[in-house]
Amino acid sequence: MPVRSGRRGDADSSRGELGPNAPSHSRTFQHVFTFPHSVRTEPLQIRNFIDGQFVEPVGGRYLDNIEPATGKPYSQVADSDGRDVDLAVATAEKAFAGWSRTPAQERSQILLRIADLIERDLEKLARAESIDTGKPLSLARTLDIPRAVANFCFFATAILHTESEAHVTDGVAFNYTLRQPRGIAGLISPWNLPLYLLSWKIAPAIAIGNTAIAKPSELTPMTAYLLCEICREAGLPNGVLNVVQGTGPNVGAAITAHPKIGTISFTGGTVTGRKVAEACAPLFKKVSLELGGKNPNIIFADADLDAAITGSVKSSFANQGQICLCGSRVFVERSAYHDFVERFIDQAAKLKVGDPLEPTTDQGAMVSKTQLDKIKFYVDLAQKEGGKIALGGSTPELINERCQSGYFFQPTVITGLPVSCRTNREEIFGPVITITPFDNQEEVIGYANDTDYGLASSVWTQNLNRAHRVAEKIHTGTVWVNCWLVRDLRVPFGGMKASGVGREGGEEALRFFTEAKNICIAK
Ligand code: NDP
């Protein structure tokens, strides 16, 4: 009998098992898991997608898939293991021969069809994403799903405009560079922006001629499943994209350890990233790691304060603070500090925490009970470290009947903490930020860099020279000036220090998923 693991982080999650040997309770699944039709998202059983077919996991096991807004299971997801990864590798290997030789124009057309179909199904996908993650439906509709469309469009057309280098060795030889797809790519993504991030990996990997095995977070498997249906409808050849659902230790680890998966693109936490690096190093895999952050927002007194406050509220609490790029440490020049804090709190207090499916909701639920408990732990810690809760700090009043067991937390602002404390150094990944005053430019650059992380930052000032000077000295992969989360898909994206290794985006992604080969022809 295979060992069954419950869904991570949800203490009240009952375990399910489907398939031929499943206990009888699972066959009554559809009767057990009932809720209003308007809230239902198909399917109830999320299976793997291998060789163009939806298939049961080899072990026949499933995990409950919890809706964070209600704290209740609403579907089940395959609890796969290494045997499912082996099947995906076999089909991806077979498909690679044909797909890597398919003309770029044909690959491009298929990816554009996928983009069109995601756009056609925007409402269904947005709803699925909202239910699976707890994020407001309005956010999924305007950010997550449109970005998935953009990802496919971008790489579908990018492959029609590639260039290759040539180097002439005077009088001796002529060199040119071939950039060839590497084979099977393993793509592992987190739960915070499920389709957005997974499609950011799938699109470049397959556009350039690789085949792929993707693993979404087991907490948020639904839109990856729906994407597979779309890929089938778009005519993507069987085996080009395979999705193996399940947990990190079972499926993610099997992908990183598999000798035939030579390329790994991973987005997730820094601790997991280290495990991925350790698994890949002895096998000499090509690895891209997009990891955690503890991002600074720096507000100088000369900033347009209205814009800085609106931008900082957004960067602090978008997606309940569960975006790797969220600014969780806000530094404000002392002369503007009190004004900023007061107006920031006024604005943040107006954010409506509510049922993610309600159109007026600004803040939905945390993705899991584990995540909610982690946030509570850090709010307690902040108080022990001497912090003052200036806003929020607890779970909200009853939202509605449907959401009474959901994983909600108020937008929370903490002041009065030293820069060096744990609250200011460790990634919380929730709607909890600190605000700290500073006295001069050098001091705040020191504060901004006083962390193991180096993902993103934002600087608010109307002094252009200062913006350049500060941006140059901050150790983060992205520096936004007078804006936040403005993303041009052509720019290099990634982190420094413990925030990652490598860059995604545009040309960087196409280079990552290809092998450069120099061909030297004697004259
Ligand atoms: P995790 O690191 O827990 O998980 C990320 C993915 O890795 C999941 O699919 C997970 O599976 C899988 N995984 C877990 N263990 C292993 C393993 N041993 N080998 C291979 N894969 C494994 O991150 P979270 O899902 O909790 O996501 C939040 C984190 O992601 C935050 O730290 C955030 O900052 C970071 N992030 C970084 C981004 C960036 O671009 N730099 C963007 C977005 C988020 P499962 O969940 O099924 O266990």
Side-chain angles (χ1 to χ4, degrees):
M1 190 67 188
V3 177
R4 272 180 277 156
S5 55
R7 191 180 145 136
R8 210 179 54 169
D10 297 293
D12 55 346
S13 128
S14 60
R15 287 149 195 193
E17 192 177 273
L18 296 173
N21 303 317
S24 58
H25 75 263
S26 63
R27 296 199 188 95
T28 58
F29 180 62
Q30 304 208 6
H31 301 289
V32 176
F33 298 98
T34 54
F35 53 104
H37 182 71
S38 61
V39 180
R40 277 264 307 273
T41 307
E42 299 297 347
L44 289 175
Q45 246 190 67
I46 299 168
R47 288 175 290 160
N48 293 330
F49 184 66
I50 296 176
D51 201 16
Q53 313 301 320
F54 289 102
V55 293
E56 293 277 325
V58 175
R61 298 173 312 185
Y62 283 80
L63 299 165
D64 287 341
N65 186 24
I66 312 287
E67 180 181 11
T70 64
K72 298 199 171 76
Y74 81 103
S75 63
Q76 292 200 321
V77 56
D79 180 15
S80 313
D81 58 36
R83 293 169 293 176
D84 302 284
V85 173
D86 287 343
L87 291 177
V89 168
T91 184
E93 194 174 27
K94 200 163 64 171
F96 180 70
W99 182 246
S100 57
R101 285 200 298 271
T102 301
Q105 184 74 40
E106 266 179 54
R107 282 185 266 124
S108 172
Q109 278 167 355
I110 294 174
L111 264 75
L112 287 173
R113 272 205 295 279
I114 295 173
D116 283 347
L117 294 174
I118 297 174
E119 199 158 29
R120 179 197 69 189
D121 290 351
L122 189 142
E123 202 49 41
K124 173 180 169 185
L125 288 161
R127 196 172 178 81
E129 204 71 296
S130 169
I131 292 171
D132 226 16
T133 59
K135 71 177 66 203
L137 176 56
S138 57
L139 186 71
R141 205 182 258 148
T142 52
L143 177 75
D144 296 72
I145 310 306
R147 175 59 189 274
V149 175
N151 289 340
F152 277 102
C153 284
F154 180 86
F155 288 107
T157 49
I159 56 167
L160 303 179
H161 304 279
T162 53
E163 290 171 354
S164 176
E165 309 93 303
H167 301 89
V168 179
T169 314
D170 288 340
V172 180
F174 166 78
N175 300 272
Y176 66 94
T177 310
L178 266 189
R179 294 191 184 273
Q180 297 174 304
R182 291 175 46 84
I184 307 172
L187 313 173
I188 302 174
S189 60
W191 46 259
N192 62 329
L193 300 165
L195 192 62
Y196 174 131
L197 287 174
L198 199 57
S199 59
W200 180 234
K201 297 183 185 302
I202 292 171
I206 67 172
I208 206 72
N210 298 283
T211 53
I213 300 174
K215 191 206 95 63
S217 169
E218 111 264 2
L219 299 178
T220 55
M222 186 63 86
T223 48
Y225 183 100
L226 298 174
L227 176 68
C228 296
E229 287 181 342
I230 283 176
C231 288
R232 210 152 66 156
E233 189 180 343
L236 186 71
N238 292 351
V240 173
L241 172 65
N242 306 277
V243 174
V244 182
Q245 305 273 5
T247 65
N250 287 343
V251 179
I255 289 174
T256 56
H258 202 293
K260 289 193 170 170
I261 305 177
T263 311
I264 299 288
S265 175
F266 171 86
T267 299
T270 295
V271 172
T272 319
R274 189 170 289 123
K275 287 187 196 156
V276 169
E278 281 167 4
C280 293
L283 297 168
F284 306 111
K285 296 190 181 203
K286 195 171 183 184
V287 185
S288 164
L289 300 172
E290 297 291 343
L291 309 176
K294 189 75 182 174
N295 309 309
N297 268 18
I298 299 174
I299 290 104
F300 286 96
D302 67 8
D304 171 347
L305 269 201
D306 288 337
I309 289 164
T310 303
S312 300
V313 168
K314 198 170 150 203
S315 77
S316 301
F317 302 119
N319 204 36
Q320 298 77 243
Q322 301 171 131
I323 299 181
C324 53
L325 303 166
C326 276
S328 49
R329 295 180 299 146
V330 180
F331 298 112
V332 186
E333 195 165 2
R334 199 174 296 277
S335 59
Y337 180 77
H338 288 294
D339 190 21
F340 180 93
V341 171
E342 199 175 306
R343 288 163 62 192
F344 181 96
I345 285 172
D346 269 0
Q347 225 181 88
K350 292 194 183 102
L351 293 172
K352 185 172 174 238
V353 183
D355 186 333
L357 297 176
E358 291 293 332
T360 52
T361 293
D362 300 304
Q363 296 279 290
M366 304 306 117
V367 75
S368 65
K369 185 165 180 305
T370 304
Q371 198 61 23
L372 180 65
D373 290 344
K374 183 179 170 197
I375 289 159
K376 289 178 180 168
F377 167 83
Y378 274 104
V379 171
D380 284 349
L381 178 69
Q383 291 171 93
K384 286 183 191 137
E385 290 182 317
K388 175 181 160 238
I389 295 183
L391 179 72
S394 58
T395 49
E397 302 281 290
L398 180 66
I399 288 185
N400 63 22
E401 213 51 42
R402 191 181 96 80
C403 296
Q404 58 181 324
S405 308
Y407 311 134
F408 295 88
F409 203 81
Q410 292 172 329
T412 297
V413 176
I414 296 165
T415 55
L417 281 173
V419 176
S420 56
C421 69
R422 280 183 66 190
T423 310
N424 265 328
R425 298 185 71 86
E426 296 174 15
E427 187 185 40
I428 301 174
F429 216 54
V432 179
I433 63 132
T434 61
I435 312 186
T436 310
F438 68 88
D439 290 306
N440 61 59
Q441 187 177 298
E442 289 317 308
E443 182 183 49
V444 77
I445 290 170
Y447 287 174
N449 291 337
D450 187 15
T451 163
D452 294 336
Y453 294 104
L455 189 55
S457 54
S458 62
V459 179
W460 298 81
T461 175
Q462 298 202 66
N463 179 333
L464 188 60
N465 290 338
R466 169 183 278 156
H468 286 302
R469 280 198 305 272
V470 174
E472 241 180 63
K473 290 183 179 165
I474 293 185
H475 303 155
T476 58
T478 297
V479 181
W480 280 293
V481 176
N482 296 330
C483 61
W484 177 73
L485 206 62
V486 174
R487 292 280 294 114
D488 183 320
L489 303 191
R490 293 168 299 179
V491 306
F493 176 84
M496 297 181 184
K497 304 194 283 185
S499 288
V501 177
R503 291 291 178 272
E504 295 185 336
E507 194 60 31
E508 300 273 350
L510 294 180
R511 289 200 167 194
F512 174 72
F513 285 113
T514 50
E515 194 76 70
K517 183 191 287 175
N518 184 60
I519 301 184
C520 177
I521 301 170
K523 272 199 168 172

